[in-house]
Amino acid sequence: MSLTASGVEVWRGRGRVLGPVDLALQPGEVVAVVGPNGAGKSTLLAALAGELRLATGDVLLEGLPLDRWPARERARRLAVLPQESSLGFGFTALEVALLGRSPHAGRGSEGADLEAALAALDATDTRHLASRPYPTLSGGEKQRVQLARVLAQLSEPLEQGHRYLLLDEPTSSLDLAHQHLVLEAAGRFAREGGAVLAVLHDLNLAARHAHRLVLLSGGRLVEEGPPARVLRPDLIADTFGLSVVIAEWPDAPGPWVLPSGRASSPS
């Protein structure tokens, strides 16, 4: 059981912006997609979410093409946190989190939905914002409330199959403490049997929280594997155009990337 991209290519006009890419997201793991600006990271996530037309290839959710899933069944298995979530209505933060329960309408009580939404707000350190109007929140607070929404969407274990959470730059507007809090929440989701794919810019955050890294450059998959295999000085210099030193710290879950100087332009 997995969320799988097989030979996926995405084109815009006459130019290929992604692929071909083969990738499988497995339950129990956090996968971080890293790479320079314009590498195709968000495009890959959008392709896995079924939001883009593919030039070639297939995306399968547990063996079935995404468009073959009934909408509600798919939404109970697959949730997406985009880079930006616009919401002009004056919903409270709690009401936004409750929107994630829409795919479960008619399957449980209002009390169960409320419990799931409040637990998601707790997981993202936003319960104290529950009664605040969403438009009045800061950018980082909005981002965490939106994460609570998708966590509430996938809060119920399935009798059959698994749950998949796709996060596009979930730490971009957050302070240091909340960056780690959000990725720790993603790790808990994976430990409970879900699967997480997160687009990240910070290589050290990715190394600390992800089981596997996927490195993209120019729309192509350059390398994938455990952080220690992907975060090599030569590969980072070639991809990012930056000379780095890789450090190992006692008890650290992954290597640390320390800039040491500017390299030549990325290849």
Side-chain angles (χ1 to χ4, degrees):
M1 295 291 188
S2 62
L3 178 64
T4 304
S6 178
V8 164
E9 292 188 15
V10 176
W11 288 63
R12 292 197 178 102
R14 297 183 178 181
R16 180 170 54 194
V17 295
L18 179 72
V21 170
D22 296 301
L23 180 67
L25 181 61
Q26 304 286 351
E29 69 171 351
V30 177
V31 174
V33 181
V34 299
N37 292 337
K41 303 183 295 295
S42 293
T43 302
L44 173 60
L45 185 143
L48 288 169
E51 297 173 354
L52 295 177
R53 180 178 179 181
L54 306 180
T56 61
D58 297 290
V59 174
L60 303 179
L61 175 60
E62 304 202 327
L64 191 66
L66 286 176
D67 60 6
R68 296 273 302 278
W69 282 94
R72 284 196 176 186
E73 284 292 317
R74 176 169 143 180
R76 287 195 284 268
R77 287 166 169 79
L78 178 65
V80 184
L81 179 68
Q83 286 186 33
E84 297 182 1
S85 302
S86 59
L87 183 63
F89 298 102
F91 292 144
T92 65
L94 175 57
E95 288 170 334
V96 173
L98 281 167
L99 291 175
R101 302 300 300 164
S102 298
H104 303 273
R107 295 173 59 88
S109 66
E110 291 184 5
D113 288 340
L114 179 60
E115 182 179 351
L118 289 173
L121 291 174
D122 284 335
T124 57
D125 190 28
T126 51
R127 185 162 181 165
H128 64 289
L129 303 172
S131 62
R132 284 269 304 275
Y134 179 82
T136 70
L137 304 181
S138 71
E141 289 170 338
K142 289 178 179 177
Q143 194 168 23
R144 283 152 47 213
V145 169
Q146 290 292 345
L147 176 60
R149 175 182 57 79
V150 295
L151 289 176
Q153 180 180 334
L154 298 182
S155 63
E156 294 183 15
L158 303 169
E159 292 182 5
Q160 293 183 331
H162 300 278
R163 298 162 294 157
Y164 302 85
L165 181 60
L166 308 182
L167 309 174
D168 196 354
E169 299 189 29
T171 62
S172 61
S173 299
L174 304 183
D175 59 41
L176 183 61
H178 285 114
Q179 288 176 5
H180 287 281
L181 179 144
V182 162
L183 292 177
E184 286 165 1
R188 284 195 300 274
F189 179 81
R191 289 192 296 274
E192 292 167 358
V196 181
L197 182 140
V199 172
L200 298 174
H201 278 291
D202 189 319
L203 297 180
N204 289 321
L205 275 177
R208 181 174 180 82
H209 292 281
H211 302 97
R212 179 161 52 108
L213 303 187
V214 173
L215 176 61
L216 298 182
S217 181
R220 293 185 177 275
L221 198 159
V222 176
E223 182 66 278
E224 71 171 302
R229 189 171 87 195
V230 175
L231 298 179
R232 306 192 310 267
D234 59 329
L235 194 55
I236 293 173
D238 287 344
T239 305
F240 291 90
L242 184 70
S243 295
V244 300
V245 173
I246 304 298
E248 300 286 345
W249 296 98
D251 301 322
W256 286 86
V257 180
L258 305 174
S260 62
R262 188 71 187 176
S264 58
S265 298
S267 57

